[in-house]
Amino acid sequence: MRKNTVKEKWRRGEIVYGAWLGIPSALSAEIVARQGYDYACVDMQHGAIDFADAYDMIVAISGTETMPFVRVPWNEFGIINKVLDAGAMGVIIPMVNTPEEAQACVRACRYAPEGARSYGPTRAAMWAGDGYFEQANAEIACIPMVETREAVARLDEILAVEGIDAVYVGPADLSVSLGMTPGLRNPGEWEAARVTIAEACGKYGIAAGMHAPDPSLYRFHEAAGYRMITAMSDMVALTE
């Protein structure tokens, strides 16, 4: 099976850099994926992307060295299975607040006995090659999002769930949950949570990820120990 180069880098303790795609276009997805990012994440939660768009974008990204990731709309077994069968090599799952919800992420991302993913890798097995069933559990990245006060309070319980490869911080939702204006960076309790998440992930050997669509932000997160930095957004880049 094709190797997940993002997970290979995490195993070596390296930082990975990615792009965020909210525009429903296979052409723009391929353009972005050819710029040398480690991963390109198709955003089905807040972007304007449905499953048909996501499928075409995964195919476009798959023609490059960049790993195709998807942020699904919700922690729901069916859509996680569908994007994996389409060829996603990583799934980012929003609003995971409890260890039980984290376990649901793992169940959807892994074949038995580690999980309960249904077998039928429609496109994934064609693209990823021989040994998909045997190796998918090791190669697919399961990435719940920690983005609320409750999730931070239960962080150790979430990180103790077997099968999580990284947690991804939604900085705006974390801000809102803490009673602040949504933003990519905030002081006080938000900053304390940012540091706590990185330190806890390091203790468990799990990568911490964060949006950081400008150099000052991603250097800021690197210094705290984040090893998954989304350094570019197609909509932000187009606006700028």
Side-chain angles (χ1 to χ4, degrees), residues 51 119 148 155 206 215:
F51 177 74
Y119 184 75
T148 67
L155 185 59
I206 290 171

Side-chain angles (χ1 to χ4, degrees), residues 24-37:
S25 166
L27 177 58
S28 62
E30 183 174 6
I31 291 168
V32 170
R34 290 191 180 279
Q35 304 315 306
Y37 295 102

Side-chain angles (χ1 to χ4, degrees), residues 74-142:
W74 199 246
N75 188 1
E76 192 275 315
F77 187 92
I79 190 59
I80 294 171
N81 273 219
K82 282 184 74 68
V83 300
L84 289 174
D85 289 347
M89 292 292 282
V91 185
I92 299 175
I93 303 157
M95 291 289 181
V96 176
N97 295 322
T98 68
E100 292 78 17
E101 290 172 359
Q103 288 163 358
C105 298
V106 174
R107 282 196 300 274
C109 288
R110 307 281 185 242
Y111 292 124
E114 289 89 349
R117 179 182 169 190
S118 175
Y119 184 75
T122 317
R123 175 182 172 273
M126 290 190 295
W127 171 67
D130 293 343
Y132 184 86
F133 173 72
E134 292 80 8
Q135 299 174 46
N137 284 358
E139 297 299 330
I140 298 300
C142 177

Side-chain angles (χ1 to χ4, degrees), residues 135-209:
Q135 299 174 46
N137 284 358
E139 297 299 330
I140 298 300
C142 177
I143 309 170
M145 294 190 74
V146 169
E147 49 187 342
T148 67
R149 184 189 297 275
E150 180 184 4
V152 174
R154 304 194 68 179
L155 185 59
D156 278 295
E157 296 173 82
I158 291 169
L159 295 175
V161 172
E162 188 71 26
I164 292 173
D165 298 295
V167 298
Y168 197 90
V169 179
D173 275 315
L174 181 59
S175 300
V176 171
S177 178
L178 296 174
M180 301 175 177
T181 301
L184 295 173
R185 180 176 180 178
N186 266 307
E189 194 175 1
W190 186 95
E191 172 60 12
R194 182 188 78 96
V195 173
T196 294
I197 292 165
E199 290 177 348
C201 285
K203 182 174 68 174
Y204 283 89
I206 290 171

